[in-house]
Amino acid sequence: MARETELMTFAEELAREAGELAHRRRAEGVDIAATKSTLADIVTAADREVEQLIRERIAAERPDDGFVGEEFDALRGRSGVTWVVDPIDGTVNYAGGSPFYAVSIAAVEGEPRPREWMALAGVVHAPALGETFRAARGEGAFLDGRRLAVAEPHAAGALVATGFGYDPATHAGDLATLARVFVHARDIRRTGSASLDLASVAAGRVDAYYERGLSPWDHAAGALLVTEAGGVVSWADVASARPMIIAAAPTVHATLTDVLV
Ligand code: LIP
C-alpha cells in the first residue's frame, strides 16, 4: 500500500474515533472551557479532550511524527511527517448544537507551515452529518465511497462559500470584500466550518470558497480534498497578518482571484 494511502487510512480511523467522542460529548452537554483571541473565539472541554485523544493515538502508532493542533503546543517530529489537526472545526456550531462541525486531520511532509508543507493525506469527518471526506495525494478525493470532482461552471455565476474571523475589527473589511464578490456570484454560503467548506468545494456542492485568517489546522486536510478533486487552492496577501485562501474549480478560481486580489 502506498505511504499516502496508509496515512489516509490511519487518519480516517482516528477521525472516526475522535468524531464519535465529540458526538457523544455533544449529546451529554457542552461546556465552554475558555475563550481565546476574542469573546467569540470559544473552546469547549470536548475540543481539548478530542485533540488529546488524537495526539495519544498518533504518539502510540507513529512516535516519531510531529503534531500541530489547535488546542495544545506543537510537537516537532523526527520522521518528516507532521499531523495537522483541528479536533472540532466549527466549534461555535458544535457548542450551539448545529451539525456543521468536523474533525479535520491531515498528514503533511516537510516544514509544518502552510504553503511550505506537502500534504500527503487528509480526512474531514462530520459525525453529526454522517459524512467522511478523505484524500491521499495522487489518489483522488472521496466522500464515503464516491469519487469527488469540483463543480462545472454555472451560467448564473458561482456559489461562493466564505467565513469571517472572530475579531470584530476585521468584519468591515471582510464585508467590503464580500460585496465585491457578490457582484459576480449567484449566491453566498457561510457554514462556520472551513474544513467543511473546502470539502464542499471538492464535492461540487459549492463552486468556490475563500476566507482570510485561517489557522493551519482549519485548511490542511480540506485543501488536499480540493486539489485531489481537480480544484485549485491558492493564497493571496500572504505577507499580511490574515492571508486569504482561495479554493475553487479552475475556471471559477481564475475569475474569483481577479475579484479578490
Ligand atoms: C472556524 C473556521 C471558520 C471560521 C471561523 C473559525 P474553529 O474554526 O472553521 O471557517 O470562519 O472563524 O476560525 O475556530 O471552529 O476551529
Side-chain angles (χ1 to χ4, degrees), residues 81-167:
V81 173
T82 300
W83 295 86
V84 186
V85 174
D86 193 336
I88 299 175
D89 179 50
T91 297
V92 173
N93 289 345
Y94 178 77
S98 162
F100 292 99
Y101 69 91
V103 178
S104 179
I105 299 176
V108 303
E109 186 168 53
E111 281 304 308
R113 288 189 290 267
R115 298 181 297 284
E116 292 184 43
W117 70 46
M118 181 171 75
L120 301 175
V123 174
V124 173
H125 173 63
L129 300 175
E131 292 188 323
T132 305
F133 301 84
R134 70 185 199 284
R137 187 177 195 84
E139 303 293 329
F142 297 83
L143 168 56
D144 300 327
R146 177 169 68 89
R147 191 175 187 118
L148 299 179
V150 293
E152 294 300 319
H154 190 289
L159 184 60
V160 180
T162 190
F164 306 98
Y166 289 117
D167 179 359

Side-chain angles (χ1 to χ4, degrees), residues 70 86 88-91 163-166 190 192-194 209 211 214 218:
E70 179 165 14
D86 193 336
I88 299 175
D89 179 50
T91 297
F164 306 98
Y166 289 117
R190 196 307 192 233
S193 168
Y209 164 69
E211 185 165 351
L214 291 182
D218 291 325

Side-chain angles (χ1 to χ4, degrees), residues 241-256:
R242 300 176 70 234
M244 179 189 283
I245 191 170
I246 306 170
T251 48
V252 174
H253 184 274
T255 307
L256 188 59

